[in-house]
Amino acid sequence: MCVQSGIVQGSVFGPLLFVLYTNDVTDIFDNSSVCKLYADDVKLYTVIENPSDYTDMQKNLNSLQQWSDQWQLQISYKKCNTLSIGNNMSQNLKLMLDRNILPHLDSSKD
């Protein structure tokens, strides 16, 4: 088998190389949001108390999209969503990733 690009799935070095390839994603976000990584998942969260907070979060989502495009890593939009905790204002806000409005959920499982 000839691999012209990437690495063979299930290889010993695959997970390490993936982490090395993607670990800089946290550097693209400003201090207005917190970013958490686990395997190939990214969680981005912040407190939204005013329109400026919303704008900052949307800018960070735009940065994530640009990073994804640059490194040719496809985002699974069906797995993306928003969740509000204790703030009804943020439930009405429409955050977008690429041209996809992120659905709002009432609960989520990790």
Side-chain angles (χ1 to χ4, degrees), residues 7 17 38 55 74 95 105:
I7 190 161
L17 292 174
Y38 181 77
T55 301
Q74 188 174 18
L95 292 166
L105 301 181

Side-chain angles (χ1 to χ4, degrees), residues 30-110:
D30 61 30
N31 291 334
S32 66
S33 298
V34 177
C35 179
K36 299 291 184 184
L37 304 177
Y38 181 77
D40 64 347
D41 290 335
V42 176
K43 280 193 183 201
L44 189 62
Y45 58 92
T46 192
V47 175
I48 296 180
E49 295 179 321
N50 57 57
S52 177
D53 295 336
Y54 166 80
T55 301
D56 289 342
M57 177 58 103
Q58 186 59 62
K59 285 180 185 175
N60 284 326
L61 290 171
N62 295 343
S63 295
L64 178 61
Q65 183 63 52
Q66 291 169 354
W67 180 90
S68 172
D69 292 342
Q70 176 184 356
W71 293 108
Q72 300 174 6
L73 293 170
Q74 188 174 18
I75 294 175
S76 177
Y77 298 104
K78 291 181 181 179
K79 292 172 57 177
C80 298
N81 58 69
T82 65
L83 175 71
S84 298
I85 299 173
N87 184 349
N88 291 333
M89 181 187 91
S90 57
Q91 290 180 358
N92 299 325
L93 301 176
K94 301 295 184 212
L95 292 166
M96 298 183 72
L97 197 50
D98 198 13
R99 288 173 292 280
N100 301 286
I101 295 175
L102 299 176
H104 182 80
L105 301 181
D106 294 327
S107 64
S108 179
K109 291 184 181 182
D110 267 341

